[in-house]
Amino acid sequence: MVLAGTAACGTVENLSAGQKLDNAFEKLGEERSIAFELDLDTDAKSLMALDAEQSEPGEEMPAEIAELLSEGTISVSMHSKKPIEESEEKDFTAMAMKLSGPDGALLEYRLVGDWFYARVDAATLGEMSGNPMPPADELPPEAGAFKKLLAGEWVKLSKKEMEETGKNMSGAEGLGESSSAEPSLDAKTQKKLTDALKKAVAQNVDFATSGGSDGTEHIKATAPFRTLVTELLGALKPLQNDLPIGDELPTAKDFADAPNTKVSADFTLKNGELTEVSVDLAELAESAKVKKFALVLRVSEGEKPEAPAGATELDIEELMTIMLTGAFGGAVSDEEFGDVPLEEGDLAGDTQMW
């Protein structure tokens, strides 16, 4: 969005590219259902070569993980009662996410109405992580519906119960609720932030357009990486006290050793609608062994996620009991938690599961 709004500050070609990107993003915002698919355009050998240059001996990326990252995809879809650009969290009636590997879905969840649905390929994920899960048929009867989950079947949990569990565990608001203390940007600060980013991007990003006869058009945005990041941080620095961030912003010194090679983002439009964004990161690798390394986001109108049929209800308390009593092979001991007892409120600052 910043790229779309900043192109008009540059050359005539940037102005044309900016108008086209503006129109494409506006069309996306008008949709009520939208879907994204994210993946890496690379291969396992390139990932392992890149990781080997940065890892200590014996800590290199396993081949299974490299294959998952190179061939896997993350798919997200959502549906709202209002156009996406006008929607707040309460307006979304259905959401879905799926992590797929080379041989199919590894993890999938859907939030439809008052229910959260999930299924997982526990065997494959366990093998990849080096921590295999026990077969579902080896679990004791008290494992209940959790056996269904390990068997790769759909289970469902009450959204209300998940919210209550989240409150009890962390003392914070549950899923779907907002906190009055949660930091946010006011309209004035948002404008200052947008203007600052626009200026930084407009001074460092070049646009080029190309198209075909079938209604497909490419808009390529290119910029030197270290220069662009440094300028963006410089633009954010004066607004740091007004931004809802917990830590200090990085400084230009932190990126002094970053490569200043040019990176590019390729926006694909089909009849004026955004269908794909590809960010080429191969130059940042600075390795002759990495020929292709890009982050690709595909966009489509999507369909409203539906509740899967035949899901087995999984009780939250039952799930917590299974985890704490070690239904997978032995009770959880005090030693596993250390010598310091947990007091009320100790989890308040932790990330919530729900």
Side-chain angles (χ1 to χ4, degrees):
M1 292 299 289
V2 173
L3 282 174
T6 55
C9 301
T11 64
V12 173
E13 184 168 20
N14 281 7
L15 174 60
S16 175
Q19 290 173 336
K20 291 174 181 178
L21 287 177
D22 269 337
N23 292 336
F25 280 106
E26 285 179 5
K27 289 182 178 180
L28 276 183
E30 293 169 357
E31 300 289 349
R32 283 179 163 79
S33 292
I34 193 168
F36 303 94
E37 183 178 273
L38 181 68
D39 68 12
L40 286 174
D41 184 13
T42 186
D43 55 67
K45 289 184 177 179
S46 294
L47 286 175
M48 294 178 70
L50 183 60
D51 178 74
E53 296 177 358
Q54 305 175 29
S55 299
E56 296 294 331
E59 297 182 0
E60 295 86 357
M61 178 185 298
E64 295 85 358
I65 300 298
E67 184 179 4
L68 171 61
L69 292 175
S70 63
E71 298 189 34
T73 60
I74 297 176
S75 305
V76 179
S77 59
M78 57 189 69
H79 177 81
S80 174
K81 295 180 291 186
K82 298 179 180 179
I84 298 296
E85 63 182 357
E86 301 174 9
S87 298
E88 299 178 2
E89 185 176 352
K90 61 182 176 61
D91 298 315
F92 289 96
T93 59
M95 298 184 183
M97 188 281 289
K98 179 168 65 175
L99 170 63
S100 300
D103 300 317
L106 295 172
L107 172 67
E108 186 172 3
Y109 80 78
R110 301 178 192 177
L111 182 58
V112 182
D114 297 326
W115 292 92
F116 177 89
Y117 300 85
R119 67 174 175 179
V120 61
D121 184 345
T124 301
L125 286 175
E127 291 176 5
M128 287 182 173
S129 65
N131 296 295
M133 296 291 286
D137 57 7
E138 293 184 6
L139 293 181
E142 55 266 28
F146 196 77
K147 297 175 68 172
K148 299 281 188 179
L149 182 64
L150 289 188
E153 299 182 28
W154 282 102
V155 298
K156 64 179 183 178
L157 302 94
S158 165
K159 178 181 174 183
K160 182 178 180 180
E161 289 186 17
M162 292 171 65
E163 292 173 355
E164 292 299 323
T165 301
K167 290 180 183 179
N168 294 335
M169 291 183 64
S170 67
E173 284 73 14
L175 182 66
E177 298 183 10
S178 60
S179 169
S180 57
E182 184 177 350
S184 61
L185 292 179
D186 56 50
K188 185 178 180 180
T189 303
Q190 287 185 41
K191 186 177 187 308
K192 287 182 179 180
L193 177 61
T194 302
D195 290 345
L197 294 177
K198 282 182 178 181
K199 183 178 179 181
V201 173
Q203 292 174 345
N204 295 281
V205 179
D206 293 321
F207 290 82
T209 60
S210 61
S213 58
D214 62 348
T216 300
E217 187 170 22
H218 294 273
I219 298 176
K220 191 173 186 178
T222 306
F225 178 74
R226 186 175 67 247
T227 299
L228 178 59
V229 171
T230 302
E231 291 292 329
L232 289 174
L233 290 173
L236 291 175
K237 193 67 176 177
L239 301 173
Q240 180 170 320
N241 292 335
D242 298 320
L243 300 177
I245 54 177
D247 300 317
E248 289 287 325
L249 284 170
T251 65
K253 184 178 179 180
D254 295 322
F255 288 90
D257 295 330
N260 204 34
T261 51
K262 290 187 176 182
V263 295
S264 60
D266 191 330
F267 299 83
T268 302
L269 308 182
K270 178 71 172 182
N271 297 323
E273 296 185 355
L274 182 67
T275 60
E276 183 175 297
V277 182
S278 177
V279 183
D280 187 356
L281 303 173
E283 292 296 330
L284 295 181
E286 296 188 314
S287 172
K289 296 181 180 179
V290 180
K291 303 295 184 182
K292 184 174 64 172
F293 186 62
L295 185 65
V296 182
L297 177 69
R298 299 177 182 85
V299 186
S300 61
E301 182 178 343
E303 298 180 354
K304 181 180 179 180
E306 299 289 343
T312 302
E313 183 173 353
L314 178 61
D315 183 79
I316 294 290
E317 292 186 4
E318 177 185 21
L319 174 61
M320 298 302 295
T321 299
I322 292 169
M323 295 175 65
L324 293 175
T325 58
F328 311 130
V332 179
S333 65
D334 292 339
E335 287 76 10
E336 292 177 83
F337 284 103
D339 297 328
V340 181
L342 289 175
E343 301 291 344
E344 183 177 356
D346 283 351
L347 298 176
D350 292 353
T351 302
Q352 287 180 246
M353 292 177 62
W354 320 118

